[in-house]
Amino acid sequence: MSGGIRLRLSASHNSRRHIVIIGGGFGGLACARALGDSDVDVTLIDRRNHNLFQPLLYQVATAALSPADISEPIRRSLGRYRNIRVLMAEVVGVDSGAKRVRLADAGEVAYDQLVIATGSQYNYFGHDDWQFHAPGLKSIHEARQIRQRLLLAFEKAELAHTEREKQSLLTSIVIGGGPTGVEMAGAISELGRYMISRDYRALAPNQMRVILLEAGPGILASFPQHLSSYAANYLQRIGVEIRLGQRVSAVGGGHVIVGDERIDAGCIVWGAGVKASPAFAWLGMKEPPGGRIPVDADLQVVGLSDIYAIGDTAMALDAEGKPLPALAQVAKQQGEFLGRKLRKGGPQASFRFRNRGNTAVIGRHAAVFDFGSWTLKGRLAWLLWALVHVYLLVNLEKRVLVTIQWIWRYLTRQRGARIIDEDASLIGDQKDVSRMIGLSRRR
Amino acid sequence: MSGGIRLRLSASHNSRRHIVIIGGGFGGLACARALGDSDVDVTLIDRRNHNLFQPLLYQVATAALSPADISEPIRRSLGRYRNIRVLMAEVVGVDSGAKRVRLADAGEVAYDQLVIATGSQYNYFGHDDWQFHAPGLKSIHEARQIRQRLLLAFEKAELAHTEREKQSLLTSIVIGGGPTGVEMAGAISELGRYMISRDYRALAPNQMRVILLEAGPGILASFPQHLSSYAANYLQRIGVEIRLGQRVSAVGGGHVIVGDERIDAGCIVWGAGVKASPAFAWLGMKEPPGGRIPVDADLQVVGLSDIYAIGDTAMALDAEGKPLPALAQVAKQQGEFLGRKLRKGGPQASFRFRNRGNTAVIGRHAAVFDFGSWTLKGRLAWLLWALVHVYLLVNLEKRVLVTIQWIWRYLTRQRGARIIDEDASLIGDQKDVSRMIGLSRRR
């Protein structure tokens, strides 16, 4: 069963090196590109067929963009390099002795060098059952789940029989005050108030609540204090209730428990911390802190030869011995560095991270930038945020499409993708929906 | 339970007439718009939150456009008219005596006049279980199902262990040779051959098969003979196998049975005839032929007062006593006619259909138009088709977005929306998928 693939992929019976990359996100793709048209064979394996520009995923969740605007088939991104193969398959293990990657249902792939770039996932701190009730923002499916629930809650509120029911449905809870949580809270508040005032007859904008729950003492903790304060003030001005130092003790269908308080909500979003993908288990490792695989300065996995790890799934240290943050730009730079290094097969070199600036967008005219030595906030930061993010999109077509939609959005405040799909998987079955969004037949 | 809604909706305790429209497709929306800003209250009820430009749905199924490009929230379409309410709810019955519409889970809505515009659905001729294996093209969900299966079949083919397996996965079957079937077969063939030659390493374009099955003696039967022949020739030239006079006897997971022959396929699409939505049952009627509710010349349901039916769900006759076809333009014209009539509340008038031309697109440079007294085919028809369809889109934003994507598609042949979502509902669970797309572990 395994023979076919392995033979076909590992060698055209020549002596070219074969590099296998697991994961087609920022890191894996950058690594593959840096190896494009070289004299090594490359196989990139991902369980998705597309890469995803995650920084804009919150705009899919809030009906501003379509999934296709921010994603591209990995095949297409790499199609021009004849030395690169792409496989859509699920990795289930790595045999580091025999140098093989095991795929679910599709045999094995032999490698000479292996790059692990499998990213991170949301951390529910042991409560994986919360995930269905409070999706994070890691995949198109989750973004569509959130969009579906948000829009459906408004529709149900328009039909609600009691004020209490309406109030629950019009409440959204965002758990976690990092960049994703801040972006989501701001976008939901703006979307909701606009939709209500324009398109709903039985609802009033002031009936809507957006609650941002943060366990720590402030939001945007990775940013300088004055930017966090600015963000908090701005969010409050556009109607977001920020609750600090509040730890969620339970998440259920349509409600969150904080301390003794139960808050009913039509839509719950999870943005409270990530952990690395469980790639360490493939290597037979004991779980490292945060799941991140320790790597040397040249990104080689500590203690294993010919296996490298990059991006969120790797624990790399900077010159001062501090862990590098789990950011797209770290993954991308590591991928480029490693690709160039593996291409030449040359001597050891040390990866050095160059900080291009950290950013979060808060609302229609507000964003923050932290460039280390200087910072930027407000309308200018917002404009810069938009320019940078359009520039980072995958190709000219997407850039043009997103630009047009943003300009349209800006001028009209309309959202282009307010579609509720007839798709049970997004919301559970009809009974689940009623339960989830708190339709109060039982009360 | 029912009181709240009914009272709230039926009257602000004034004497304004209340017109209820069920269905927000071409007919219902046109009717509502014609009643906009008049002195009657209007409630439009739909179980979807969006209208859908169905003529371009095949482009969503073949990864050329995103769902949001061809749909808009019904609320947004009608948001500017303060006399119109929109409810997203499922109608479960009509009490024509008490003049009330019953909603699932949300009470009742009283009406003075009722318009039924619930459209049509695919007709599986009693085999409703075929629907999962061979979705039609009536909703965004089905278009995404088809897109998902098509793209996934290519991914699985790239990993296939045997030539036979690969062959099955690279076979697509389109059932029904009407405009939808022709459009799908042409688009799948063009998409598949392009993707294979550009992005797949283990596949060759000539391994791909697209089979168009038609039970009758020719495709595009509603068009003049010379246009049907032109379409058939063009399809064969771009690699579609047309099989005429072949009736499907069974559809299963990943295969179709025609006569004694079993054809395995990675993607199966249903386009073989429609029937009206079962709205007749709400009225306590015995099922009329094709499910279409008989209406008088003024579109009033025969034998019932103050209930009207328009579009695919109505059986209206033209001046010569022939049934009007189930076409978008008929629905739209009937909606406009009825809206104007109800607005004035004036005397009886007869609806007269004006044929704006019938069209089908076949491929990258080919379409056919039938205007009754003259016809058009080929490259010019294709260009006209594109212009007309862009013009018919719902607003300037969508027109600009679709135009840009089409120009991009035309120049690069790339498809912008080749996303496989991690969404089990689109493909069944993993076991189902393997079964469905014919992964031959068992063989």
PDB file of all heavy atoms in Angstrom, chain A residues 49 75-76 144 155 397 404 409 415 418 420-421 423 425, chain B residues 49 75-76 144 155 397 404 409 415 418 420-421 423 425:
ATOM      1  N   ASN A  49      -6.005  22.517   0.851  1.00  0.00           N
ATOM      2  CA  ASN A  49      -5.491  22.746  -0.502  1.00  0.00           C
ATOM      3  C   ASN A  49      -5.065  24.198  -0.704  1.00  0.00           C
ATOM      4  O   ASN A  49      -4.524  24.545  -1.734  1.00  0.00           O
ATOM      5  CB  ASN A  49      -6.535  22.357  -1.559  1.00  0.00           C
ATOM      6  CG  ASN A  49      -7.569  23.437  -1.802  1.00  0.00           C
ATOM      7  OD1 ASN A  49      -8.008  24.105  -0.864  1.00  0.00           O
ATOM      8  ND2 ASN A  49      -7.969  23.619  -3.038  1.00  0.00           N
ATOM      9  N   ARG A  75      -1.146  24.738  -4.708  1.00  0.00           N
ATOM     10  CA  ARG A  75      -0.691  24.337  -6.032  1.00  0.00           C
ATOM     11  C   ARG A  75      -0.448  25.509  -6.955  1.00  0.00           C
ATOM     12  O   ARG A  75       0.462  25.504  -7.771  1.00  0.00           O
ATOM     13  CB  ARG A  75      -1.789  23.526  -6.723  1.00  0.00           C
ATOM     14  CG  ARG A  75      -1.795  22.138  -6.366  1.00  0.00           C
ATOM     15  CD  ARG A  75      -2.777  21.329  -7.137  1.00  0.00           C
ATOM     16  NE  ARG A  75      -2.917  20.138  -6.342  1.00  0.00           N
ATOM     17  CZ  ARG A  75      -1.932  19.275  -6.166  1.00  0.00           C
ATOM     18  NH1 ARG A  75      -0.778  19.436  -6.796  1.00  0.00           N
ATOM     19  NH2 ARG A  75      -2.097  18.246  -5.386  1.00  0.00           N
ATOM     20  N   ARG A  76      -1.378  26.462  -6.867  1.00  0.00           N
ATOM     21  CA  ARG A  76      -1.263  27.591  -7.784  1.00  0.00           C
ATOM     22  C   ARG A  76      -0.101  28.485  -7.375  1.00  0.00           C
ATOM     23  O   ARG A  76       0.630  28.986  -8.220  1.00  0.00           O
ATOM     24  CB  ARG A  76      -2.580  28.358  -7.769  1.00  0.00           C
ATOM     25  CG  ARG A  76      -2.564  29.583  -8.632  1.00  0.00           C
ATOM     26  CD  ARG A  76      -3.986  30.117  -8.785  1.00  0.00           C
ATOM     27  NE  ARG A  76      -3.977  31.531  -9.053  1.00  0.00           N
ATOM     28  CZ  ARG A  76      -5.075  32.269  -9.140  1.00  0.00           C
ATOM     29  NH1 ARG A  76      -6.259  31.706  -8.965  1.00  0.00           N
ATOM     30  NH2 ARG A  76      -5.006  33.544  -9.387  1.00  0.00           N
ATOM     31  N   ARG A 144     -16.395  31.141   8.643  1.00  0.00           N
ATOM     32  CA  ARG A 144     -17.768  31.028   8.141  1.00  0.00           C
ATOM     33  C   ARG A 144     -18.735  30.656   9.264  1.00  0.00           C
ATOM     34  O   ARG A 144     -19.876  31.123   9.293  1.00  0.00           O
ATOM     35  CB  ARG A 144     -17.849  30.022   6.989  1.00  0.00           C
ATOM     36  CG  ARG A 144     -17.138  30.525   5.724  1.00  0.00           C
ATOM     37  CD  ARG A 144     -17.233  29.550   4.562  1.00  0.00           C
ATOM     38  NE  ARG A 144     -18.610  29.280   4.237  1.00  0.00           N
ATOM     39  CZ  ARG A 144     -19.176  28.084   4.288  1.00  0.00           C
ATOM     40  NH1 ARG A 144     -18.479  27.036   4.657  1.00  0.00           N
ATOM     41  NH2 ARG A 144     -20.426  27.928   3.991  1.00  0.00           N
ATOM     42  N   GLU A 155     -31.042  37.795  12.613  1.00  0.00           N
ATOM     43  CA  GLU A 155     -32.315  37.389  12.002  1.00  0.00           C
ATOM     44  C   GLU A 155     -33.280  36.870  13.061  1.00  0.00           C
ATOM     45  O   GLU A 155     -34.467  37.173  13.038  1.00  0.00           O
ATOM     46  CB  GLU A 155     -32.078  36.306  10.938  1.00  0.00           C
ATOM     47  CG  GLU A 155     -31.304  36.776   9.716  1.00  0.00           C
ATOM     48  CD  GLU A 155     -32.050  37.839   8.934  1.00  0.00           C
ATOM     49  OE1 GLU A 155     -33.291  37.865   8.969  1.00  0.00           O
ATOM     50  OE2 GLU A 155     -31.373  38.675   8.298  1.00  0.00           O
ATOM     51  N   GLU A 397      -4.548  40.249  -8.662  1.00  0.00           N
ATOM     52  CA  GLU A 397      -6.005  40.114  -8.728  1.00  0.00           C
ATOM     53  C   GLU A 397      -6.635  40.329  -7.347  1.00  0.00           C
ATOM     54  O   GLU A 397      -7.563  41.119  -7.192  1.00  0.00           O
ATOM     55  CB  GLU A 397      -6.388  38.727  -9.248  1.00  0.00           C
ATOM     56  CG  GLU A 397      -7.899  38.586  -9.419  1.00  0.00           C
ATOM     57  CD  GLU A 397      -8.355  37.130  -9.484  1.00  0.00           C
ATOM     58  OE1 GLU A 397      -7.547  36.227  -9.182  1.00  0.00           O
ATOM     59  OE2 GLU A 397      -9.522  36.916  -9.826  1.00  0.00           O
ATOM     60  N   ILE A 404     -11.012  47.303  -4.050  1.00  0.00           N
ATOM     61  CA  ILE A 404     -12.329  47.787  -4.474  1.00  0.00           C
ATOM     62  C   ILE A 404     -13.368  47.552  -3.384  1.00  0.00           C
ATOM     63  O   ILE A 404     -14.167  48.432  -3.063  1.00  0.00           O
ATOM     64  CB  ILE A 404     -12.757  47.079  -5.765  1.00  0.00           C
ATOM     65  CG1 ILE A 404     -11.909  47.601  -6.918  1.00  0.00           C
ATOM     66  CG2 ILE A 404     -14.235  47.306  -6.057  1.00  0.00           C
ATOM     67  CD1 ILE A 404     -12.080  46.828  -8.179  1.00  0.00           C
ATOM     68  N   ARG A 409     -16.809  49.490   0.858  1.00  0.00           N
ATOM     69  CA  ARG A 409     -17.180  49.391   2.271  1.00  0.00           C
ATOM     70  C   ARG A 409     -17.037  50.746   2.950  1.00  0.00           C
ATOM     71  O   ARG A 409     -17.883  51.186   3.707  1.00  0.00           O
ATOM     72  CB  ARG A 409     -16.210  48.418   2.950  1.00  0.00           C
ATOM     73  CG  ARG A 409     -16.746  47.251   3.666  1.00  0.00           C
ATOM     74  CD  ARG A 409     -16.971  45.998   2.942  1.00  0.00           C
ATOM     75  NE  ARG A 409     -17.825  46.035   1.807  1.00  0.00           N
ATOM     76  CZ  ARG A 409     -17.766  45.176   0.825  1.00  0.00           C
ATOM     77  NH1 ARG A 409     -16.891  44.232   0.848  1.00  0.00           N
ATOM     78  NH2 ARG A 409     -18.625  45.255  -0.174  1.00  0.00           N
ATOM     79  N   ARG A 415     -21.581  45.747   3.897  1.00  0.00           N
ATOM     80  CA  ARG A 415     -20.709  44.582   3.866  1.00  0.00           C
ATOM     81  C   ARG A 415     -21.159  43.701   2.717  1.00  0.00           C
ATOM     82  O   ARG A 415     -22.349  43.469   2.543  1.00  0.00           O
ATOM     83  CB  ARG A 415     -20.827  43.780   5.163  1.00  0.00           C
ATOM     84  CG  ARG A 415     -20.570  44.597   6.398  1.00  0.00           C
ATOM     85  CD  ARG A 415     -19.077  44.818   6.608  1.00  0.00           C
ATOM     86  NE  ARG A 415     -18.862  45.710   7.732  1.00  0.00           N
ATOM     87  CZ  ARG A 415     -17.969  45.466   8.694  1.00  0.00           C
ATOM     88  NH1 ARG A 415     -17.215  44.397   8.644  1.00  0.00           N
ATOM     89  NH2 ARG A 415     -17.816  46.325   9.671  1.00  0.00           N
ATOM     90  N   ARG A 418     -22.763  39.185   3.337  1.00  0.00           N
ATOM     91  CA  ARG A 418     -23.690  38.839   4.412  1.00  0.00           C
ATOM     92  C   ARG A 418     -24.568  37.665   4.020  1.00  0.00           C
ATOM     93  O   ARG A 418     -25.785  37.758   3.980  1.00  0.00           O
ATOM     94  CB  ARG A 418     -24.542  40.051   4.760  1.00  0.00           C
ATOM     95  CG  ARG A 418     -23.863  40.999   5.727  1.00  0.00           C
ATOM     96  CD  ARG A 418     -24.561  42.334   5.802  1.00  0.00           C
ATOM     97  NE  ARG A 418     -25.981  42.198   6.038  1.00  0.00           N
ATOM     98  CZ  ARG A 418     -26.841  43.196   5.911  1.00  0.00           C
ATOM     99  NH1 ARG A 418     -26.425  44.390   5.543  1.00  0.00           N
ATOM    100  NH2 ARG A 418     -28.114  43.014   6.143  1.00  0.00           N
ATOM    101  N   ILE A 420     -26.045  33.891   4.674  1.00  0.00           N
ATOM    102  CA  ILE A 420     -26.242  32.750   5.559  1.00  0.00           C
ATOM    103  C   ILE A 420     -26.467  31.539   4.661  1.00  0.00           C
ATOM    104  O   ILE A 420     -27.448  31.458   3.945  1.00  0.00           O
ATOM    105  CB  ILE A 420     -27.447  32.970   6.492  1.00  0.00           C
ATOM    106  CG1 ILE A 420     -27.233  34.239   7.329  1.00  0.00           C
ATOM    107  CG2 ILE A 420     -27.637  31.761   7.390  1.00  0.00           C
ATOM    108  CD1 ILE A 420     -28.392  34.568   8.254  1.00  0.00           C
ATOM    109  N   ASP A 421     -25.519  30.646   4.683  1.00  0.00           N
ATOM    110  CA  ASP A 421     -25.567  29.446   3.861  1.00  0.00           C
ATOM    111  C   ASP A 421     -26.499  28.435   4.522  1.00  0.00           C
ATOM    112  O   ASP A 421     -26.575  28.379   5.739  1.00  0.00           O
ATOM    113  CB  ASP A 421     -24.138  28.898   3.795  1.00  0.00           C
ATOM    114  CG  ASP A 421     -23.979  27.797   2.787  1.00  0.00           C
ATOM    115  OD1 ASP A 421     -24.991  27.248   2.317  1.00  0.00           O
ATOM    116  OD2 ASP A 421     -22.826  27.482   2.471  1.00  0.00           O
ATOM    117  N   ASP A 423     -26.332  25.551   5.685  1.00  0.00           N
ATOM    118  CA  ASP A 423     -25.260  24.594   5.924  1.00  0.00           C
ATOM    119  C   ASP A 423     -25.269  24.235   7.397  1.00  0.00           C
ATOM    120  O   ASP A 423     -24.802  24.968   8.254  1.00  0.00           O
ATOM    121  CB  ASP A 423     -23.941  25.236   5.527  1.00  0.00           C
ATOM    122  CG  ASP A 423     -22.797  24.265   5.639  1.00  0.00           C
ATOM    123  OD1 ASP A 423     -22.960  23.233   6.313  1.00  0.00           O
ATOM    124  OD2 ASP A 423     -21.755  24.542   5.066  1.00  0.00           O
ATOM    125  N   SER A 425     -23.598  22.253   9.141  1.00  0.00           N
ATOM    126  CA  SER A 425     -22.337  22.061   9.865  1.00  0.00           C
ATOM    127  C   SER A 425     -21.850  23.358  10.488  1.00  0.00           C
ATOM    128  O   SER A 425     -21.024  23.357  11.383  1.00  0.00           O
ATOM    129  CB  SER A 425     -21.260  21.543   8.927  1.00  0.00           C
ATOM    130  OG  SER A 425     -20.711  22.605   8.183  1.00  0.00           O
TER     131      SER A 425
ATOM    132  N   ASN B  49     -31.498  34.198   3.856  1.00  0.00           N
ATOM    133  CA  ASN B  49     -31.373  35.632   4.091  1.00  0.00           C
ATOM    134  C   ASN B  49     -30.963  36.376   2.831  1.00  0.00           C
ATOM    135  O   ASN B  49     -30.913  37.590   2.821  1.00  0.00           O
ATOM    136  CB  ASN B  49     -30.369  35.923   5.218  1.00  0.00           C
ATOM    137  CG  ASN B  49     -28.929  35.912   4.745  1.00  0.00           C
ATOM    138  OD1 ASN B  49     -28.556  35.103   3.899  1.00  0.00           O
ATOM    139  ND2 ASN B  49     -28.123  36.804   5.283  1.00  0.00           N
ATOM    140  N   ARG B  75     -32.634  41.747   2.915  1.00  0.00           N
ATOM    141  CA  ARG B  75     -32.767  42.979   3.700  1.00  0.00           C
ATOM    142  C   ARG B  75     -32.108  44.177   3.065  1.00  0.00           C
ATOM    143  O   ARG B  75     -32.602  45.292   3.136  1.00  0.00           O
ATOM    144  CB  ARG B  75     -32.036  42.810   5.030  1.00  0.00           C
ATOM    145  CG  ARG B  75     -32.789  42.124   6.031  1.00  0.00           C
ATOM    146  CD  ARG B  75     -32.162  42.110   7.376  1.00  0.00           C
ATOM    147  NE  ARG B  75     -32.871  41.079   8.083  1.00  0.00           N
ATOM    148  CZ  ARG B  75     -34.148  41.170   8.398  1.00  0.00           C
ATOM    149  NH1 ARG B  75     -34.842  42.255   8.140  1.00  0.00           N
ATOM    150  NH2 ARG B  75     -34.751  40.170   8.984  1.00  0.00           N
ATOM    151  N   ARG B  76     -30.934  43.908   2.515  1.00  0.00           N
ATOM    152  CA  ARG B  76     -30.195  45.021   1.933  1.00  0.00           C
ATOM    153  C   ARG B  76     -30.849  45.466   0.629  1.00  0.00           C
ATOM    154  O   ARG B  76     -30.943  46.656   0.347  1.00  0.00           O
ATOM    155  CB  ARG B  76     -28.750  44.581   1.707  1.00  0.00           C
ATOM    156  CG  ARG B  76     -27.902  45.626   1.047  1.00  0.00           C
ATOM    157  CD  ARG B  76     -26.438  45.223   1.137  1.00  0.00           C
ATOM    158  NE  ARG B  76     -25.673  45.832   0.070  1.00  0.00           N
ATOM    159  CZ  ARG B  76     -24.400  45.555  -0.167  1.00  0.00           C
ATOM    160  NH1 ARG B  76     -23.758  44.678   0.579  1.00  0.00           N
ATOM    161  NH2 ARG B  76     -23.762  46.144  -1.139  1.00  0.00           N
ATOM    162  N   ARG B 144     -21.326  24.954  -3.534  1.00  0.00           N
ATOM    163  CA  ARG B 144     -20.099  24.686  -2.777  1.00  0.00           C
ATOM    164  C   ARG B 144     -19.841  23.189  -2.664  1.00  0.00           C
ATOM    165  O   ARG B 144     -18.694  22.743  -2.702  1.00  0.00           O
ATOM    166  CB  ARG B 144     -20.167  25.339  -1.392  1.00  0.00           C
ATOM    167  CG  ARG B 144     -20.090  26.875  -1.482  1.00  0.00           C
ATOM    168  CD  ARG B 144     -20.117  27.551  -0.118  1.00  0.00           C
ATOM    169  NE  ARG B 144     -19.019  27.117   0.699  1.00  0.00           N
ATOM    170  CZ  ARG B 144     -19.154  26.474   1.856  1.00  0.00           C
ATOM    171  NH1 ARG B 144     -20.357  26.203   2.331  1.00  0.00           N
ATOM    172  NH2 ARG B 144     -18.116  26.113   2.532  1.00  0.00           N
ATOM    173  N   GLU B 155      -7.404  16.352  -6.219  1.00  0.00           N
ATOM    174  CA  GLU B 155      -6.371  16.151  -5.200  1.00  0.00           C
ATOM    175  C   GLU B 155      -6.163  14.664  -4.937  1.00  0.00           C
ATOM    176  O   GLU B 155      -5.033  14.193  -4.800  1.00  0.00           O
ATOM    177  CB  GLU B 155      -6.750  16.871  -3.899  1.00  0.00           C
ATOM    178  CG  GLU B 155      -6.765  18.392  -3.985  1.00  0.00           C
ATOM    179  CD  GLU B 155      -5.389  18.959  -4.295  1.00  0.00           C
ATOM    180  OE1 GLU B 155      -4.383  18.333  -3.947  1.00  0.00           O
ATOM    181  OE2 GLU B 155      -5.323  20.036  -4.925  1.00  0.00           O
ATOM    182  N   GLU B 397     -21.150  47.494  -7.225  1.00  0.00           N
ATOM    183  CA  GLU B 397     -20.005  46.810  -6.628  1.00  0.00           C
ATOM    184  C   GLU B 397     -19.821  45.407  -7.216  1.00  0.00           C
ATOM    185  O   GLU B 397     -18.735  45.035  -7.650  1.00  0.00           O
ATOM    186  CB  GLU B 397     -20.181  46.692  -5.099  1.00  0.00           C
ATOM    187  CG  GLU B 397     -18.962  46.081  -4.421  1.00  0.00           C
ATOM    188  CD  GLU B 397     -19.263  45.535  -3.033  1.00  0.00           C
ATOM    189  OE1 GLU B 397     -20.453  45.423  -2.673  1.00  0.00           O
ATOM    190  OE2 GLU B 397     -18.315  45.212  -2.316  1.00  0.00           O
ATOM    191  N   ILE B 404     -13.951  42.418 -13.127  1.00  0.00           N
ATOM    192  CA  ILE B 404     -12.509  42.265 -12.929  1.00  0.00           C
ATOM    193  C   ILE B 404     -12.121  40.789 -12.890  1.00  0.00           C
ATOM    194  O   ILE B 404     -11.146  40.365 -13.513  1.00  0.00           O
ATOM    195  CB  ILE B 404     -12.085  42.956 -11.619  1.00  0.00           C
ATOM    196  CG1 ILE B 404     -12.161  44.466 -11.803  1.00  0.00           C
ATOM    197  CG2 ILE B 404     -10.670  42.546 -11.221  1.00  0.00           C
ATOM    198  CD1 ILE B 404     -11.986  45.222 -10.521  1.00  0.00           C
ATOM    199  N   ARG B 409      -9.744  36.096 -15.315  1.00  0.00           N
ATOM    200  CA  ARG B 409      -9.928  34.704 -15.735  1.00  0.00           C
ATOM    201  C   ARG B 409      -9.608  34.556 -17.218  1.00  0.00           C
ATOM    202  O   ARG B 409      -8.950  33.632 -17.640  1.00  0.00           O
ATOM    203  CB  ARG B 409     -11.415  34.343 -15.548  1.00  0.00           C
ATOM    204  CG  ARG B 409     -11.755  33.170 -14.695  1.00  0.00           C
ATOM    205  CD  ARG B 409     -11.924  33.366 -13.272  1.00  0.00           C
ATOM    206  NE  ARG B 409     -10.844  33.903 -12.537  1.00  0.00           N
ATOM    207  CZ  ARG B 409     -10.968  34.515 -11.380  1.00  0.00           C
ATOM    208  NH1 ARG B 409     -12.154  34.681 -10.856  1.00  0.00           N
ATOM    209  NH2 ARG B 409      -9.923  34.955 -10.747  1.00  0.00           N
ATOM    210  N   ARG B 415      -8.585  30.269 -12.021  1.00  0.00           N
ATOM    211  CA  ARG B 415      -9.849  30.415 -11.310  1.00  0.00           C
ATOM    212  C   ARG B 415      -9.539  30.942  -9.922  1.00  0.00           C
ATOM    213  O   ARG B 415      -8.616  30.455  -9.270  1.00  0.00           O
ATOM    214  CB  ARG B 415     -10.552  29.068 -11.173  1.00  0.00           C
ATOM    215  CG  ARG B 415     -10.763  28.373 -12.490  1.00  0.00           C
ATOM    216  CD  ARG B 415     -11.938  28.971 -13.233  1.00  0.00           C
ATOM    217  NE  ARG B 415     -12.059  28.341 -14.535  1.00  0.00           N
ATOM    218  CZ  ARG B 415     -13.207  27.921 -15.041  1.00  0.00           C
ATOM    219  NH1 ARG B 415     -14.329  28.080 -14.381  1.00  0.00           N
ATOM    220  NH2 ARG B 415     -13.253  27.372 -16.232  1.00  0.00           N
ATOM    221  N   ARG B 418     -10.595  28.467  -5.874  1.00  0.00           N
ATOM    222  CA  ARG B 418     -10.347  27.026  -5.781  1.00  0.00           C
ATOM    223  C   ARG B 418     -10.074  26.612  -4.352  1.00  0.00           C
ATOM    224  O   ARG B 418      -9.015  26.100  -4.021  1.00  0.00           O
ATOM    225  CB  ARG B 418      -9.174  26.656  -6.680  1.00  0.00           C
ATOM    226  CG  ARG B 418      -9.582  26.419  -8.126  1.00  0.00           C
ATOM    227  CD  ARG B 418      -8.402  26.366  -9.050  1.00  0.00           C
ATOM    228  NE  ARG B 418      -7.372  25.450  -8.589  1.00  0.00           N
ATOM    229  CZ  ARG B 418      -6.152  25.400  -9.117  1.00  0.00           C
ATOM    230  NH1 ARG B 418      -5.833  26.225 -10.085  1.00  0.00           N
ATOM    231  NH2 ARG B 418      -5.268  24.552  -8.653  1.00  0.00           N
ATOM    232  N   ILE B 420     -10.869  24.368  -1.012  1.00  0.00           N
ATOM    233  CA  ILE B 420     -11.530  23.230  -0.387  1.00  0.00           C
ATOM    234  C   ILE B 420     -11.638  23.545   1.097  1.00  0.00           C
ATOM    235  O   ILE B 420     -10.650  23.641   1.801  1.00  0.00           O
ATOM    236  CB  ILE B 420     -10.733  21.931  -0.609  1.00  0.00           C
ATOM    237  CG1 ILE B 420     -10.560  21.663  -2.110  1.00  0.00           C
ATOM    238  CG2 ILE B 420     -11.442  20.762   0.057  1.00  0.00           C
ATOM    239  CD1 ILE B 420      -9.751  20.424  -2.437  1.00  0.00           C
ATOM    240  N   ASP B 421     -12.860  23.757   1.526  1.00  0.00           N
ATOM    241  CA  ASP B 421     -13.139  24.097   2.915  1.00  0.00           C
ATOM    242  C   ASP B 421     -13.084  22.824   3.755  1.00  0.00           C
ATOM    243  O   ASP B 421     -13.426  21.754   3.283  1.00  0.00           O
ATOM    244  CB  ASP B 421     -14.553  24.697   2.948  1.00  0.00           C
ATOM    245  CG  ASP B 421     -14.903  25.317   4.275  1.00  0.00           C
ATOM    246  OD1 ASP B 421     -14.205  25.074   5.259  1.00  0.00           O
ATOM    247  OD2 ASP B 421     -15.897  26.050   4.306  1.00  0.00           O
ATOM    248  N   ASP B 423     -14.993  21.175   5.591  1.00  0.00           N
ATOM    249  CA  ASP B 423     -16.396  21.234   5.947  1.00  0.00           C
ATOM    250  C   ASP B 423     -17.036  19.912   5.587  1.00  0.00           C
ATOM    251  O   ASP B 423     -17.322  19.626   4.448  1.00  0.00           O
ATOM    252  CB  ASP B 423     -17.045  22.369   5.171  1.00  0.00           C
ATOM    253  CG  ASP B 423     -18.475  22.574   5.563  1.00  0.00           C
ATOM    254  OD1 ASP B 423     -19.055  21.654   6.182  1.00  0.00           O
ATOM    255  OD2 ASP B 423     -19.027  23.628   5.252  1.00  0.00           O
ATOM    256  N   SER B 425     -19.905  18.731   5.938  1.00  0.00           N
ATOM    257  CA  SER B 425     -21.254  18.687   5.382  1.00  0.00           C
ATOM    258  C   SER B 425     -21.231  18.742   3.858  1.00  0.00           C
ATOM    259  O   SER B 425     -22.183  18.395   3.196  1.00  0.00           O
ATOM    260  CB  SER B 425     -22.085  19.855   5.888  1.00  0.00           C
ATOM    261  OG  SER B 425     -21.791  21.025   5.160  1.00  0.00           O
TER     262      SER B 425
END
